[in-house]
Amino acid sequence: QVQLVESGGGLAQTGGSLRLSCTASGGTLSRSAMGWFRQAPGKEREFVAGRGILTYYSDSVKGRFMISKDIAKNTVYLHMNNLKPDDTAVYYCAQRRTLDVHHSWLNWDYWGQGTQVTVST
């Protein structure tokens, strides 16, 4: 059974940086697409970044966020720079059984518990 455990959320100021980590157990990242989603209060869960055969970013984070994988540690990271108040949300790590990234959260197989990111003005 795959389990994803996230860490690294917290409070940041506008323009600051945070790094989220997601460590997977029960499977290998080398054959899986990994993604990050976020959900703000009252909003639908939205795609942030995904890495499989190719790497994708949402327009709202492109140029500011970067997703990376460390296969040896079975860990995926989300490096978040130049944070904005609109980035405030619960961030979720997700894994697919294939290497194809999908932008809809409905098409991902495993999820972490979520970690809160709050960006103050």
Side-chain angles (χ1 to χ4, degrees), residues 41-95:
K43 294 188 176 180
E44 189 173 355
R45 192 169 297 190
E46 65 172 358
F47 174 83
V48 174
R51 182 164 174 161
I53 296 173
L54 300 174
T55 301
Y56 299 89
Y57 297 94
S58 69
D59 288 342
S60 61
V61 307
K62 199 173 295 181
R64 301 187 297 121
F65 291 11
M66 184 182 74
I67 184 171
S68 65
K69 274 186 188 180
D70 186 331
I71 301 297
K73 294 183 178 180
N74 238 27
T75 298
V76 64
Y77 302 96
L78 184 67
H79 308 264
M80 305 186 294
N81 299 310
N82 192 18
L83 284 163
K84 303 175 180 180
D86 284 349
D87 295 320
T88 296
V90 176
Y91 284 71
Y92 296 92
C93 172
Q95 184 175 1

Side-chain angles (χ1 to χ4, degrees), residues 1 16 25-26 29 35 43 47 75 91 97 101 111 119:
Q1 182 68 20
S25 60
L29 299 191
K43 294 188 176 180
F47 174 83
T75 298
Y91 284 71
R97 296 192 191 99
V101 173
W111 291 89
V119 183

Side-chain angles (χ1 to χ4, degrees), residues 13-30:
Q13 292 185 333
T14 297
S17 300
L18 286 173
R19 188 185 75 166
L20 305 183
S21 302
C22 172
T23 300
S25 60
T28 175
L29 299 191
S30 62

